C-alpha cells in the first residue's frame, strides 16, 4: 500500500487517515451546511464509502487526503489533500476544517504545505481547486493561496463548480 508521507508545519501534523478519523468524517457529512462543498449530506454508510475510497486513492494515484492534526494532539482537525478521481478534469487540492477548528488558519497552513509537497515531491506543475458556487469561505482561501478563477465547468459528481488555478511553483518564487 502507498503510505501517506507525514508533513509537518509550524503548528500541524498532516498524516495518513486512520480508522479512528471516520467519526469526524461522518459528523462532517451529517452536517448539511458544512458538507455542501463535498457533495452534501451522506448517511454513515455512504460517508464510510467516501472515507474508504479516499484511502484507496493513495494506492491508485500515489497521493490523497491527509488528516490534519494539531501538534501534540492526534484529534482530526480536518483534511487536506490532492484528489483526482475518475471524471475530474485534473488533480485538485481540497480542504476541510472540521467543526470547532475553523477560523484558525489551519486549512491555509495545511493547503500551503500540501501544495508545496505536490510541486516539490510529486513534480506537479499546477493544481486546481474545484469549488461549489457560493462556498465563499473556500473561494476566499483559494484566493488567499494565490489561486485565480479560471472557468466554470460541470463536475461529474458535484454539478456546476468554479475551477480556481493555483500558481505554478516558479510563479510563487
Amino acid at each position: 500500500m502507498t503510505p501517506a508521507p507525514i508533513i509537518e508545519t509550524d503548528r500541524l501534523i498532516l498524516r495518513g487517515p486512520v480508522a479512528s478519523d471516520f467519526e469526524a468524517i461522518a459528523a462532517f457529512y451529517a452536517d448539511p451546511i458544512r458538507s455542501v462543498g463535498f457533495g452534501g449530506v451522506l448517511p454513515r454508510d455512504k460517508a464510510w464509502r467516501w472515507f474508504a475510497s479516499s484511502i484507496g486513492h493513495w494506492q491508485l494515484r500515489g497521493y490523497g487526503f491527509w488528516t490534519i492534526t494539531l501538534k501534540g494532539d492526534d484529534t482530526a482537525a480536518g483534511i487536506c489533500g490532492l484528489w483526482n478521481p475518475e471524471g475530474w478534469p485534473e488533480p485538485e487540492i481540497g480542504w476541510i476544517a472540521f467543526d470547532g477548528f475553523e477560523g484558525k488558519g489551519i486549512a491555509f497552513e495545511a493547503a500551503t504545505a500540501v501544495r508545496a509537497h505536490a510541486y516539490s515531491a510529486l513534480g506537479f506543475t499546477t493544481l486546481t481547486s474545484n469549488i461549489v458556487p457560493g462556498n465563499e469561505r473556500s473561494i476566499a482561501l483559494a484566493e488567499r493561496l494565490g489561486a485565480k478563477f479560471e472557468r466554470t465547468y460541470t463536475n461529474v459528481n458535484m454539478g456546476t463548480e468554479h475551477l480556481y488555478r493555483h500558481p505554478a511553483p516558479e510563479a510563487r518564487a
Side-chain angles (χ1 to χ4, degrees), residues 98-147:
F98 292 144
D99 191 22
F101 294 96
E102 292 176 309
K104 301 175 184 198
I106 290 169
F108 176 78
E109 190 172 331
T112 300
V114 167
R115 186 174 66 186
H117 178 81
Y119 287 161
S120 63
L122 299 175
F124 286 24
T125 58
T126 187
L127 278 170
T128 66
S129 287
N130 308 331
I131 302 173
V132 174
N135 188 343
E136 299 303 325
R137 293 185 79 165
S138 276
I139 290 169
L141 179 52
E143 290 175 345
R144 184 174 173 210
L145 288 162

Side-chain angles (χ1 to χ4, degrees), residues 1-13:
M1 299 296 289
T2 303
I6 293 173
I7 298 176
E8 189 171 334
T9 71
D10 289 342
R11 300 181 302 152
L12 308 174
I13 301 289

Side-chain angles (χ1 to χ4, degrees), residues 44-64:
R44 278 184 73 84
D45 66 314
K46 287 192 172 46
W48 174 260
R49 285 179 179 89
W50 183 91
F51 182 60
S53 74
S54 72
I55 293 168
H57 194 279
W58 280 99
Q59 181 64 25
L60 296 171
R61 299 275 195 226
Y63 53 84

Side-chain angles (χ1 to χ4, degrees), residues 57 61 83-90 92 156-157:
H57 194 279
R61 299 275 195 226
W83 187 240
N84 189 19
E86 179 61 31
W88 250 235
E90 58 189 285
E92 78 161 315
V156 297
N157 295 108

Side-chain angles (χ1 to χ4, degrees), residues 12-15 66-70 74-80 95-98 106-107 110:
L12 308 174
I13 301 289
L14 282 69
R15 59 159 173 76
W66 282 264
T67 298
I68 304 167
T69 66
L70 304 176
D74 198 44
T75 302
I79 61 173
C80 184
W95 49 76
I96 297 167
F98 292 144
I106 290 169

